[in-house]
Amino acid sequence: MDTVLSGIRSTGNLHLGNYYGALRNFIRMQHENSCYFFIADYHSLTTHPDPKQLHENVKDILCEYLAAGIDPNVATIYVQSDLKEVTELYLMLNMHAYMGELAKTSSFKEKARKQPENVNAGLLTYPTLMAADILIHNADKVPVGKDQEQHLEMTRRFARRFNNFYNVEFFKEPQAYNFGQELIKIPGLDGSGKMGKSEGNCIYLCDDPKVIEKKVKRALTDAGPTTHNSVKPDCIENLFTILNVVSSKEVVQHFEDKWNTCEIRYGDLKKQLAADIIAVTNPIRERYNDIRDNEAYLHQVATEGAEKARENAQKTMRGVREIMGFKSF
Ligand code: TYM
């Protein structure tokens, strides 16, 4: 049985990118594997969230996980900051992570460009914290979107380096995973490459249907194809990428044919796309509303999840301390 782990930063509500990049893959694997899914609240600190908001953000995501279909009786759901062992492993891995390689990470370079007033050390060591999340459970598979590929590569490098340095076979090298396919990237509806919280171009899982219709209607399009079987411009390719994940094969083929024969009407495409997104998100939004105020249930899920995750984490840390030479008097 494989150990599968994934996580999502608690910096805002879950969007279609999170769902199709990570969450849905995870949900599909939860019954056949030993699965851990967590809320990365430590990672959210790089942007200095308002303390009054921090817990609410974590709670939102916990409810969205559950509403989307993670079953706490099957998978282990926990909050990253409930697992103090992660911070210890983070510290130890940092001693074997080098300035040069951390500063070269794409996500660091991008964040440093976007928030030059706050290039903190947590941003630089973001990949070591992520590696600690994964290695603390010695995960085999990590369902993530394409944007996390480089972080996974670094995790493998840190695992290998630890094993080589201490001459042990302790950590496994985890693989980024998407169900039987390449890792995917869900684009934004504004013609940009990626749907993302900081990009401000998201369709959220709990968006009201009217809001979804409005967002899809406003999606960027062009003047339309003029020659048969032409290559789609980015903004149209983006709409088809989302159609591909939310709609049936027949619907996708229908619009592909219309594109190829220059008969496509973007109004029809957008109507269908909005309807299919709503069909996917509606049940999630409804379940979310049902559990959002059920404090007792959320408390139970988070507490039991943390306990289960801790057992594993403590075992890993006992091994790491011993390998590194820590002994108690
Ligand atoms: P985060 O919170 O940015 O995103 C959570 C997950 O959603 C995926 N994702 C996407 N996939 C496809 N298309 C998109 N547009 C898109 N946007 C987001 C991400 O690939 C990710 O899988 N560093 C991570 C959180 C994290 C983590 C971990 C993940 C911390 N520790 C350990 C896995 C394992 C992050 O910020 O993801």
Side-chain angles (χ1 to χ4, degrees):
M1 198 194 277
D2 280 340
T3 298
V4 179
L5 169 126
S6 200
I8 294 185
R9 230 174 338 137
S10 58
T11 31
N13 293 76
L14 299 193
H15 53 77
L16 281 185
N18 297 139
Y19 184 65
Y20 285 103
L23 198 51
R24 199 176 69 129
N25 287 311
F26 184 90
I27 291 165
R28 289 163 79 174
M29 301 173 87
Q30 63 183 337
H31 292 279
E32 287 84 40
N33 300 279
S34 167
C35 285
Y36 296 86
F37 212 104
F38 73 99
I39 300 160
D41 54 348
Y42 281 144
H43 276 106
S44 79
L45 294 178
T46 57
T47 50
H48 301 164
D50 178 354
K52 287 194 212 76
Q53 212 42 51
L54 195 136
H55 180 70
E56 288 305 302
N57 292 345
V58 171
K59 193 166 154 192
D60 274 347
I61 299 208
L62 177 59
C63 295
E64 286 170 336
Y65 274 0
L66 295 164
I70 296 188
D71 180 350
N73 295 314
V74 175
T76 304
I77 308 178
Y78 64 95
V79 180
Q80 185 185 33
S81 61
D82 281 339
L83 211 62
K84 302 289 185 274
E85 290 76 8
V86 164
T87 55
E88 190 184 1
L89 184 56
Y90 168 57
L91 181 144
M92 289 169 173
L93 292 176
N94 268 333
M95 304 303 164
H96 289 282
Y98 293 95
M99 274 292 288
E101 62 187 341
L102 293 169
K104 264 198 296 205
T105 318
S106 318
S107 59
F108 175 72
K109 287 198 290 196
E110 194 191 319
K111 287 274 158 55
R113 190 172 46 80
K114 276 194 187 154
Q115 49 179 73
E117 72 297 343
N118 179 22
V119 187
N120 58 59
L123 266 183
L124 185 71
T125 56
Y126 189 106
T128 15
L129 181 54
M130 185 156 159
D133 293 326
I134 298 166
L135 298 177
I136 201 98
H137 296 296
N138 235 336
D140 298 283
K141 288 181 181 153
V142 187
V144 282
K146 189 139 184 67
D147 59 320
Q148 299 296 324
E149 210 169 19
Q150 192 182 30
H151 290 155
L152 258 295
E153 180 54 44
M154 293 180 80
T155 303
R156 284 193 287 276
R157 199 192 306 160
F158 295 148
R160 216 162 32 236
R161 191 175 291 161
F162 182 94
N163 289 348
N164 289 340
F165 189 89
Y166 295 104
N167 199 16
V168 288
E169 277 301 318
F170 188 72
F171 286 128
K172 292 183 200 163
E173 292 189 29
Q175 301 303 316
Y177 191 79
N178 180 23
F179 234 84
Q181 295 169 30
E182 305 253 294
L183 300 187
I184 59 166
K185 182 167 77 176
I186 301 294
L189 290 175
D190 52 356
S192 74
K194 181 187 154 187
M195 183 177 287
K197 291 163 205 164
S198 37
E199 283 75 8
N201 60 5
C202 298
I203 293 187
Y204 293 101
L205 296 185
C206 290
D207 269 347
D208 197 76
K210 287 264 166 310
V211 173
I212 294 178
E213 277 167 6
K214 222 188 210 161
K215 286 182 177 175
V216 175
K217 214 171 182 177
R218 281 204 311 251
L220 194 73
T221 48
D222 68 344
T226 48
T227 51
H228 281 206
N229 303 317
S230 56
V231 175
K232 300 183 190 88
D234 286 349
C235 60
I236 305 302
E237 188 62 51
N238 286 356
L239 295 185
F240 272 85
T241 302
I242 303 179
L243 196 71
N244 252 299
V245 294
V246 295
S247 305
S248 68
K249 280 200 178 64
E250 292 72 32
V251 166
V252 176
Q253 195 55 53
H254 169 81
F255 285 104
E256 286 285 359
D257 292 344
K258 293 277 177 203
W259 168 267
N260 285 333
T261 54
C262 304
E263 291 168 289
I264 194 156
R265 288 166 50 173
Y266 292 142
D268 293 347
L269 172 66
K270 287 179 170 179
K271 239 192 198 147
Q272 180 77 47
L273 184 59
D276 290 340
I277 293 173
I278 291 167
V280 170
T281 54
N282 241 354
I284 300 178
R285 201 188 65 256
E286 283 166 11
R287 280 198 296 273
Y288 172 89
N289 289 333
D290 283 347
I291 54 178
R292 183 64 173 78
D293 295 321
N294 193 341
E295 296 283 347
Y297 175 60
L298 299 178
H299 172 79
Q300 185 196 344
V301 169
T303 315
E304 286 179 2
E307 269 165 27
K308 275 199 261 172
R310 205 169 292 128
E311 267 175 45
N312 226 6
Q314 286 178 341
K315 195 168 130 226
T316 305
M317 285 320 296
R318 272 197 297 277
V320 169
R321 279 190 218 111
E322 194 186 317
I323 290 168
M324 292 180 78
F326 287 92
K327 275 186 192 149
S328 22
F329 285 96

